[in-house]
Amino acid sequence: MSEKSIAILVIEDELPIVRFLRATLENQGYSLRDAATGQEGIAEAGTCRPDLILLDLGLPDMDGLEVIRRVRAWTDVPIVIISARGQESDKVAALDAGADDYLTKPFGVPELMARIRVALRRASHVGDHGESSFFTCGDLKVDLAGHLVHLRGQEVSLTPIEFRLLAAMIKHAGKVITHRQLLREVWGPHLTDESHYLRVFVHQLRRKLEDDPTRPKFILTEAGIGYRLRV
Amino acid sequence: MSEKSIAILVIEDELPIVRFLRATLENQGYSLRDAATGQEGIAEAGTCRPDLILLDLGLPDMDGLEVIRRVRAWTDVPIVIISARGQESDKVAALDAGADDYLTKPFGVPELMARIRVALRRASHVGDHGESSFFTCGDLKVDLAGHLVHLRGQEVSLTPIEFRLLAAMIKHAGKVITHRQLLREVWGPHLTDESHYLRVFVHQLRRKLEDDPTRPKFILTEAGIGYRLRV
DNA sequence: AGAAGCCTTAACGAACTCTTAACGGCATCG
DNA sequence: CGATGCCGTTAAGAGTTCGTTAAGGCTTCT
């Protein structure tokens, strides 16, 4: 079961601390990128789209508050401050500028971890309630977030692989998806030539979803290339 | 245009502190309610629906962590901890139980205000989830704030873990909840692979709630993924 | 101190899913 | 016309996950 790991961006100029954080965070299963200056950090945040930012306020090239504001200008990604300065006015300024939490060095690793979990938890709840993404095509209705499939109002139960296969097709609905692509998205990057699996599971899906599996309405086969989901 | 002021619930047993917070917060334009015990606080949270909860962990009648969990069972309202105990393990436990921030007494008022603003800011992004502390499905009625479960008018007594498990499912009612997710919400963020616990406790729940545990009406199992509560 | 209740842990059979193999139809190409 | 390759279909075995039960340790209450 491959799950994409959570990405954290560390903006910090002191190398020992970066190394320490890298070891600690990667040990917890997070993937990590780092930047040594504010400029670099802002750019990196734009390109790698982290799930959380750890920011040291004492950067050499620009004010930490400015980094917060520049990042907040276009994203709500959680920002946790780690700073040597423990002045209350500094904390208030950073928090009001858009930071989500503020830790003063030296801090304990368990507390840092807990506060990172809090920030990530809050951020993940944003899409929790209304934002279930539906896909509809004729009588077929799929709730990707809720793992639900309805056909003519009737619920259809799919196995994990069946659902992943359907979800992958929905992600590229209307376009052709090659065998390779499907195999990578459903089974992971290892399998790439076993286009055999596909036939078995496409058949399973058609048997559950199509009225007449011989003449498919939803899952069309593009001979020699792959499959395509009708929109 | 009438602007409803933001409501804050203070759960704190020391009267001087309550008075101090009342003066400070009302001066900032918040409206305030207070409760002196955990029981009272949980009940008050269910009825007055505050926008934020300030919670002292050192309550006379029950463990502060239990208060957090009981409130978290049915709402994502921001919880900010104010505590005399500054032990890192206390902080981690509270944050992992569902708190959003943790301040150690004595704290500065400006910092408290700033952290309250952060918590409110984060929560407002989520938008209104029409949360209710009651859940009903067929013969099953659950009062999340009151920790009560009724089946066909008959009261059912659940153990703490059984109730947390049921509450977690209710929070995502209708959608599939993965094993990971359930383990995190019920046991904390550490356990993530012990999907074994789930089977035991799901079985306990079904034995207490379902007419025919073999053919569940409420707690459905999504093979290979997790569980789902019928709506 | 004793008892009761709850959580953890282990074990085993049953049900389900995934993998793998085999076969037939259909089209293209030599 | 036969060979080859791709796709659909089916079935069986292996492997994994799920349900169920019970015993032991821990905490809590009396």
Side-chain angles (χ1 to χ4, degrees), chain A residues 15-26 107 109 112:
Chain A
L15 215 64
I17 297 184
V18 173
R19 270 202 291 266
F20 172 70
L21 287 174
R22 173 176 294 280
T24 309
L25 291 170
E26 288 186 342
F107 47 79
V109 170
L112 173 64

Side-chain angles (χ1 to χ4, degrees), chain B residues 20 23 25 30-31 33 56 60 66 71 74-75 88 111 114-115 120 126 135 152 156 202 205 212 225 227:
Chain B
F20 171 70
L25 291 169
Y30 301 113
S31 74
R33 305 197 64 117
D56 184 349
E66 189 58 24
V71 171
W74 63 275
T75 177
E88 185 171 47
E111 178 172 357
R115 290 192 181 267
L120 290 171
V126 177
F135 172 86
R152 284 188 229 88
V156 181
V202 164
L205 264 181
D212 179 7
I225 307 286
Y227 294 88

